Amino acid sequence: MTPTINIPRLDLLHYTQGTTDQRHQFSKEIGKAFNETGFVTIANHGMDKALIDELYAVVEAFFALPEVTKLKYEIPGLAGQRGYTSRGKEKAKDATVPDLKEFWQRGQDDNPVVNELPRFDEITGEVYRRLESAGRELLKAIAVYLDLPEDYFEGKVHQGNSILRAIHYFPIDEPDSLPDDAVRAGAHEDINLITLLIGASADGLEVLTREGTWYPVKAHGEDIVVNVGDMLQRLTNNKLKSTTHRVVNPPREQMKTSRYSVPFFLHPKADMSLAVLESCIGADNPKAYTDITAGDYLDERLRAIGLKM
């Protein structure tokens, strides 16, 4: 059976610089995809190949630093929201073993400076700003699809709690010693409103179809992959789908290689209400969630994935 999957490739310029018809069409297509599969790929998002190439170069250089150096940037009490998080810390919500990864996170401010790599902060900061800008435009298109004012999300996300995460899925040197359920990133849904993912250095991202099968997601060239997070699903009473996804381990012959990935998790400010939109409640779709703020929901989920005690 062919899986029910709708991951269109959309051009962000059609929304930001397009005609009225192009803007309307973009909004309709992203809404339809988010309603059906929860994923799209986006071209012309504001980052060029040179910036992406340098991003991966500085990210690779950071994770190649000695462990003792990286651990200088692991900050207790911040639940991994800034700086370095070492191996064995984060797991998928219902998983029993940690993901096979280490990562670095930066936010709007209060980011530790990596003294050993002068370009690291500059490049990750530039990528952060550009993905935040692209994400705000995408949320405008989503607001239009939801029959909300175009700038509905603007005041809620501008200077919000968004995070840029650089991930290193380290080489698996002894595959036979791994627990059977140990994977690079266990099946999970994202916490935030939307996630913008720069094409990873290797394949591995898969989404769960409605039929319960796993479907590999691949981006063209410099395209980014964008998906719905649980906050947006909650806000829209499941109208927009936060689809389960994972990063699988590579074929055995490639296990000794690293994989790098850089997602941008677009979060609102902590005080944004995630109360279900009245327009998304109906006789055939009763209110599915209790009211909660984005900040309280984030705290709840950080505990569930092992980053917060």
Side-chain angles (χ1 to χ4, degrees):
M1 185 168 70
T2 306
T4 307
I5 205 90
N6 173 23
I7 306 178
R9 181 175 188 247
L10 304 177
D11 185 336
L12 187 53
L13 289 180
H14 287 175
Y15 192 78
T16 58
Q17 298 178 24
T19 64
T20 302
D21 285 349
Q22 285 176 318
R23 287 165 60 81
H24 176 74
Q25 186 64 22
F26 182 96
S27 182
K28 192 169 130 186
E29 287 184 26
I30 196 171
K32 184 173 188 289
F34 281 176
N35 176 253
E36 293 174 4
T37 301
F39 276 76
V40 297
T41 63
I42 297 289
N44 291 317
H45 39 69
M47 286 182 303
D48 54 47
K49 186 175 187 306
L51 179 61
I52 294 172
D53 286 349
E54 188 164 9
L55 172 69
Y56 275 103
V58 297
V59 164
E60 192 170 334
F62 174 77
F63 289 115
L65 291 171
E67 195 68 17
V68 66
T69 304
K70 290 184 288 188
L71 287 172
K72 287 194 315 188
Y73 299 105
E74 189 155 38
I75 308 164
L78 283 189
Q81 297 303 287
R82 295 291 187 277
Y84 176 64
T85 297
S86 51
R87 304 175 183 203
K89 296 287 175 70
E90 186 178 63
K91 63 181 185 66
K93 184 157 59 90
D94 299 314
T96 56
V97 294
D99 290 343
L100 303 174
K101 69 187 181 196
E102 57 182 339
F103 59 89
W104 173 277
Q105 294 201 155
R106 72 169 294 139
Q108 297 282 358
D109 46 33
D110 299 325
N111 296 294
V113 174
V114 180
N115 298 313
E116 294 81 1
L117 299 170
R119 294 282 288 164
F120 183 83
D121 304 287
E122 185 181 340
I123 294 298
T124 56
E126 182 63 23
V127 169
Y128 184 104
R129 287 185 289 275
R130 293 199 197 187
L131 286 177
E132 182 180 45
S133 177
R136 287 165 60 192
E137 295 297 336
L138 291 167
L139 284 175
K140 288 178 185 176
I142 291 163
V144 170
Y145 173 76
L146 294 169
D147 293 323
L148 297 168
E150 186 187 43
D151 62 355
Y152 175 83
F153 292 100
E154 269 290 278
K156 299 170 174 61
V157 301
H158 182 49
Q159 293 295 306
N161 291 328
S162 295
I163 290 289
L164 182 76
R165 172 184 282 196
I167 308 171
H168 177 217
Y169 299 103
F170 43 80
I172 302 166
D173 293 320
E174 297 178 12
D176 293 334
S177 68
L178 285 180
D180 290 342
D181 49 354
V183 292
R184 287 185 151 174
H188 65 283
E189 300 81 43
D190 293 342
I191 300 169
N192 40 291
L193 289 170
I194 57 173
T195 300
L196 293 79
L197 174 67
I198 300 169
S201 65
D203 292 341
L205 177 64
E206 297 182 346
V207 302
L208 188 63
T209 69
R210 290 185 186 182
E211 291 74 28
T213 59
W214 289 100
Y215 181 89
V217 180
K218 299 177 195 284
H220 303 255
E222 285 82 61
D223 289 359
I224 59 173
V225 175
V226 181
N227 64 277
V228 175
D230 283 354
M231 287 184 183
L232 188 57
Q233 175 174 267
R234 192 180 183 107
L235 187 72
T236 63
N237 208 30
N238 301 322
K239 180 181 176 75
L240 303 184
K241 306 291 189 292
S242 177
T243 301
T244 303
H245 52 286
R246 67 184 184 182
V247 178
V248 295
N249 296 337
R252 196 177 180 91
E253 66 273 12
Q254 295 172 25
M255 282 193 171
K256 287 187 165 61
T257 58
S258 288
R259 179 184 190 270
Y260 301 93
S261 176
V262 185
F264 178 81
F265 301 116
L266 198 153
H267 280 271
K269 295 171 182 169
D271 62 359
M272 177 184 175
S273 170
L274 297 179
V276 171
L277 296 165
E278 289 295 329
S279 58
C280 294
I281 302 170
D284 55 349
N285 191 27
K287 184 177 177 181
Y289 301 103
T290 55
D291 297 355
I292 193 170
T293 64
D296 286 344
Y297 184 65
L298 177 61
D299 279 351
E300 188 181 288
R301 289 292 297 274
L302 289 175
R303 288 188 181 90
I305 62 175
L307 288 181
K308 196 164 192 170
M309 305 314 285

